[in-house]
Amino acid sequence: MKKISFPLKKFSLIVCMGIFLIIPAVREVRATTKAYLVTPGFYWYENQPTTGYIFFYNHITIDNYQPGSVILSKHPDGTGDMNVGDAIQAVGIYPASGAFTYQTDCVNYNPILKPTDITQSVHLAPDTVNNILVRFAHWCYVPKNISPVYLVHTFADEKDTARFLDLPWDYKSKGLNFTDAALTISSYFDHEYPLLSSTLKEPESANNSIIMFDSKNRLDRAYSSHDGYDYAGLAQVHFGDAVLAASDGWAWYDNSCAPCGNMMLIDHENGYQTRYLHLQKEGLLTSITDAKIQVVQGQQIGKIGATGNVSPTGNQGAHIHFMVIQDKNNDGNFEDNIPDGVTDPFGWSPNEPDPWEQYEFYYNNELRTGNKSIYLWKHDLVGLDKTITPAGDTFQMSNYTVNFPEGFIEANLVFTARPAPPPTTQNSGLNPVGIGIDMIIKDFLDNLITTFSDSFTLAVDLTDLDLSNINENTLSFYSTNDGVNWNKEITSVDIVNQKATLSVNHLTTFTLMGEAKDRVTPSTTLSLQGDEGEPLWFRSDVQFSLEAQDNTDGLGIDYTLYKVNEQEWETYTSPLTFSDEGDYHIQFYTADKGGNIETVQEKSFTIDKTPPEAVIYFDDAIHDIITYGKDSSKTSVNTVSNATTITDQAGNIITFTSQKTNSPIEKKLTVHSFGYNHIPIGTNEIHTLKINKNQPQRLRQEYMKNQSLLVTLIYHARKDETMIIEGHTKKTIAGSAILQLTTDKGEITYAY
Amino acid sequence: MHIKNNNDHHLLLLLLVLLILLVILLFMLTKNRSSLYFAVNYKDTNKSMQKNNQTTRFMQKFTAGYLRFTIDVPEYFTMTDDFTFVDLDSKKGSVHIGRVASNFDNIEDYISFLVEKNHMQITEKHNFIINNRPAIQMKRLEQKNDYSLQRLLYFIYVDGWVYSFETNASALFGDLEKIVNSFQYQPK
């Protein structure tokens, strides 16, 4: 019997270790496994060529080795006894080192090797590519039926092993999915810094803002120093609702913290504790402090209450404050890890360092640092980042289901899905339904893959989507790569079962769209009521009303907006009254429930409540006494017999009765009475304007009130000057002065 | 410095000339940059502010997929839409948008709660309405090393949610006001 030149003593020790180190080949469901095929199996005869004693070998490259285990097994899942012939050896080449060997002797021939963990024998370097040589040797001169052999690398993803929490209330029965429930947060965990449960204060630079788990920015949200998550009404957490254990463990009651109210604590026996604050006294799993009761995930431990410090006070402030503490010093006591063990169950996702993890502080005479937060929820948030395998996978994101069938891909790839906002540039007449989905597939070298030889399935649950304005016959998936140009995809729509399905072999963004049922814009009619003169000139208060109408088959009016002058847009609810004089410019439009929006209409009108005044003077050019109106708007003068009426655009009037006498050398106008808007001014005054031109080159104008001469103007053309006599006062001014009588709110005044 | 000979004179002269040239060059660069900045600003203003009959139109309408709202955003912003926030980034600074699920039934009480919990120093506060939703605009002081900044905040109350819009870039205060006034909630 020929022997192979392996150092036997060493290898026998290794073999023993290898045998005794057989561990369960299949890890927990949450571990990640990659299988590398060494050989699919073959039959070897003695006369086949060999290289020395080596009759078969294969170099295996393990990508980006993460500390875990490497197992030799028959099946790719790490199970199955192998037929390895006379001997098998796995040798670390680079940067891996060490070797594992199994060999049998030819007398008690045993070619069967059970699944074997070779991690202790072959030392692989982490976070890099490792090369391992696996070779088969012979010396027993018997044919060998070599079975398939795999190198199976299984490693514990940090995220996978620690993801054990669910939300502490029955959100599913309230119609919420995990993401919607988990992100309906009333108060966030403050990564700068969650010190609320300690006596420490934040530095001033950090005490008026928070840093959330997914943003590096300081933000004005609720609230600074908070060390857990508050969930309340909008998350369907109501007073009296059941509070559930977030995971298995041992629960007990504590009421030593007054602001916490009634509190339940659960030690999950994995280094983490969860706390549930503000519970009601009734319904507690136990109200005996320190009496630990074993619980399972989802078991009721209490009821939502408002004990301790809640805002607003009373039952309206009912909420659950949920917090997680890590036993950083592994002493089984969580109290001595407040606040440094306080942890955000959403982890920390920005590229920048987590301020809480970096924070150093003294507490109880010890220098401490904050805690590293990792994602602890069992369920993913909407927006996936997963590995897809050749075995096929199904993923859920909101109301989307993505199914990759077996054989869709040949090697593992990274699949990412995010919600995509509905298109803003809509195809003609198409309305998006719900949000879209943005999908990316990359290989592990970050190369984007957008088309595939096989198809995958994308389905959307229509149950919660608003289809009220969609013509269901036109529902279809549309896809885009640039967010601008959308292509219609062949979609199967099942309204009865509320599902739309697409089979497609390309990416990237998909949105469900359909033609709007109601594509007719509504119309709005404006009505203005008041005392109107000329069109849109009012001399009274104006009542303004809008009436909106939608088409007969439309979805109805949603809202009507109006705007007065430069004011803000307001929602129209009832008629308005405008009282102040001035110009009004109204804009208005209506939108219906189908999203059709009317073009803005406009109307201008004026309110003028002030009647005009009259001006009376002698016009030498036409040698007559003239009357005209004085107003902010245009006026018209109408004289019938002894009555003169001056009207402005709003229909306000001034009327006066007068008597006019005419002769070649004398003109006289006597005003007896006047009034505004048919209301006479009750005076008995008589005003007379008398013009005398009995001498050429001389013009005499007189104004008398009740036969008293108030003013006389005498113009001398040759001197081109006017003498003005008022009572005992006499003065002369250059040029020709014209005497004017003007009505003024019930009085008559003169000027020149 | 004692100038020993003519060579030193020449060297000194050369250094002086180089210094003058450097100053001139710097001046020209500064002048050009500010002119370019002005030209770019003017172009952006011209393009981004187009009034129509309904509202002042920005160059893009943005819809937040998860937070369920639409806003009009000037074209020079880039948008990041993530679970709990939307960031609008520009060369002038950033606007951060998010929301919380409030237990309060009105915005005034929520703001009082937030101001107390976050020890805010409020310098201004106004109540108003945005598309039929109660809203509050506030300015507060933000401590930044040795100095204080004004931070502009808007809060809009929508069916129990309080949407917040905030920036500490004073150059964006005007833009933020317009962005906020275009806010439309998009319920499911």
Side-chain angles (χ1 to χ4, degrees), chain A residues 1-2 4 42-46 55 82-88 102-113 136-147:
Chain A
M1 180 175 78
K2 288 184 183 174
I4 302 169
F42 59 94
Y43 199 80
W44 187 81
Y45 290 98
E46 291 258 343
F55 63 90
M82 300 160 279
N83 186 327
V84 299
D86 304 349
I88 184 172
Y102 170 78
Q103 65 183 56
T104 182
D105 70 66
C106 302
V107 174
N108 299 307
Y109 188 69
N110 181 16
I112 302 301
L113 176 64
F136 296 79
H138 75 99
W139 56 77
C140 295
Y141 297 100
V142 293
K144 301 163 212 323
N145 189 5
I146 306 298
S147 72

Side-chain angles (χ1 to χ4, degrees), chain A residues 354-575:
Chain A
D354 179 355
W356 176 228
E357 189 185 354
Q358 310 281 309
Y359 189 54
E360 284 188 346
F361 57 96
Y362 276 94
Y363 193 62
N364 291 341
N365 299 317
E366 278 181 24
L367 178 63
R368 305 187 188 198
T369 55
N371 204 17
K372 178 182 173 67
S373 294
I374 59 174
Y375 190 88
L376 297 176
W377 301 112
K378 279 170 53 173
H379 306 293
D380 289 316
L381 289 174
V382 165
L384 299 167
D385 211 348
K386 288 287 191 187
T387 300
I388 50 174
T389 69
D393 292 280
T394 299
F395 302 103
Q396 205 80 27
M397 189 198 84
S398 187
N399 54 342
Y400 283 97
T401 305
V402 186
N403 176 259
F404 299 104
E406 184 180 349
F408 174 74
I409 50 175
E410 292 177 356
N412 290 1
L413 296 172
V414 180
F415 168 65
T416 304
R418 290 276 185 271
T424 54
T425 304
Q426 296 177 23
N427 292 354
S428 56
L430 287 176
N431 281 11
V433 179
I435 57 172
I437 181 169
D438 204 18
M439 295 187 284
I440 294 171
I441 293 179
K442 292 183 183 179
D443 63 20
F444 288 95
L445 295 175
D446 226 27
N447 298 309
L448 212 59
I449 305 165
T450 56
T451 54
F452 305 89
S453 52
D454 288 331
S455 298
F456 67 93
T457 305
L458 174 66
V460 66
D461 181 355
L462 305 174
T463 309
D464 291 328
L465 298 178
D466 181 10
L467 298 175
S468 57
N469 190 32
I470 301 294
N471 183 342
E472 288 165 3
N473 294 331
T474 64
L475 265 178
S476 180
F477 274 110
Y478 289 76
S479 67
T480 184
N481 281 330
D482 59 11
V484 175
N485 298 296
W486 292 84
N487 304 303
K488 187 172 180 177
E489 302 281 353
I490 299 171
T491 306
S492 167
V493 178
D494 181 353
I495 292 296
V496 170
N497 293 309
Q498 293 285 284
K499 203 169 175 185
T501 313
L502 167 68
S503 182
V504 69
N505 67 346
H506 66 87
L507 300 172
T508 301
T509 303
F510 297 84
T511 292
L512 199 63
M513 292 200 274
E515 288 176 9
K517 278 182 193 166
D518 178 5
R519 292 163 62 176
V520 178
T521 53
S523 62
T524 315
T525 308
L526 167 72
S527 167
L528 296 170
Q529 301 290 328
D531 294 335
E532 194 173 9
E534 289 182 11
L536 300 175
W537 283 87
F538 296 89
R539 57 184 180 275
S540 66
D541 290 352
V542 174
Q543 189 179 60
F544 152 84
S545 60
L546 295 173
E547 188 183 338
Q549 270 193 320
D550 200 17
N551 52 307
T552 312
D553 300 326
L555 296 176
I557 300 298
D558 191 4
Y559 60 86
T560 300
L561 299 185
Y562 71 95
K563 183 177 173 184
V564 180
N565 293 341
E566 294 306 315
Q567 294 171 17
E568 297 297 322
W569 285 95
E570 303 271 358
T571 303
Y572 178 79
T573 53
S574 59

Side-chain angles (χ1 to χ4, degrees), chain B residues 47-84:
Chain B
K47 277 177 76 173
S48 67
M49 302 291 289
Q50 295 177 10
K51 284 193 193 283
N52 68 0
N53 282 338
Q54 291 170 307
T55 58
T56 301
R57 181 183 294 154
F58 292 80
M59 290 307 290
Q60 49 191 339
K61 187 175 273 296
F62 171 75
T63 300
Y66 190 77
L67 296 186
R68 298 198 177 278
F69 64 84
T70 61
I71 47 175
D72 294 333
V73 181
E75 63 167 352
Y76 48 82
F77 279 100
T78 54
M79 280 78 71
T80 304
D81 185 0
D82 211 315
F83 295 119
T84 62

Side-chain angles (χ1 to χ4, degrees), chain A residues 127-308:
Chain A
D127 299 320
T128 188
V129 175
N130 284 262
N131 288 305
I132 299 173
L133 169 66
V134 181
R135 55 190 180 180
F136 296 79
H138 75 99
W139 56 77
C140 295
Y141 297 100
V142 293
K144 301 163 212 323
N145 189 5
I146 306 298
S147 72
V149 174
Y150 285 86
L151 267 181
V152 179
H153 173 211
T154 302
F155 56 96
D157 189 326
E158 196 177 46
K159 198 161 94 168
D160 284 344
T161 53
R163 291 176 54 169
F164 65 102
L165 292 174
D166 202 347
L167 293 168
W169 74 98
D170 189 3
Y171 55 93
K172 285 181 190 164
S173 72
K174 306 289 182 84
L176 292 175
N177 59 45
F178 172 77
T179 301
D180 286 345
L183 295 184
T184 306
I185 298 165
S186 295
S187 299
Y188 283 83
F189 180 103
D190 180 10
H191 280 256
E192 193 190 51
Y193 306 99
L195 305 173
L196 191 65
S197 298
S198 71
T199 55
L200 294 170
K201 299 279 183 224
E202 291 178 278
E204 209 174 301
S205 58
N207 76 347
N208 54 20
S209 57
I210 68 167
I211 292 184
M212 306 186 318
F213 69 93
D214 57 354
S215 174
K216 66 183 190 305
N217 298 302
R218 290 202 178 98
L219 300 166
D220 287 81
R221 311 258 168 92
Y223 57 86
S224 190
S225 221
H226 198 234
D227 57 3
Y229 283 92
D230 288 348
Y231 292 98
L234 269 185
Q236 302 306 316
V237 172
H238 302 292
F239 185 83
D241 284 351
V243 174
L244 310 179
S247 190
D248 302 349
W250 291 86
W252 71 98
Y253 169 71
D254 190 299
N255 64 352
S256 61
C257 161
C260 307
N262 294 305
M263 177 168 63
M264 290 296 291
L265 300 84
I266 300 179
D267 179 355
H268 299 288
E269 299 187 299
N270 60 358
Y272 287 98
Q273 180 194 76
T274 51
R275 296 189 175 191
Y276 313 75
L277 277 61
H278 308 305
L279 306 183
Q280 289 188 32
K281 185 75 175 172
E282 293 75 38
L284 289 167
L285 182 68
T286 175
S287 54
I288 302 169
T289 55
D290 297 327
K292 294 188 179 179
I293 300 174
Q294 194 166 23
V295 294
V296 296
Q297 188 167 51
Q299 182 174 345
Q300 183 170 347
I301 57 172
K303 288 185 179 180
I304 299 292
T307 57

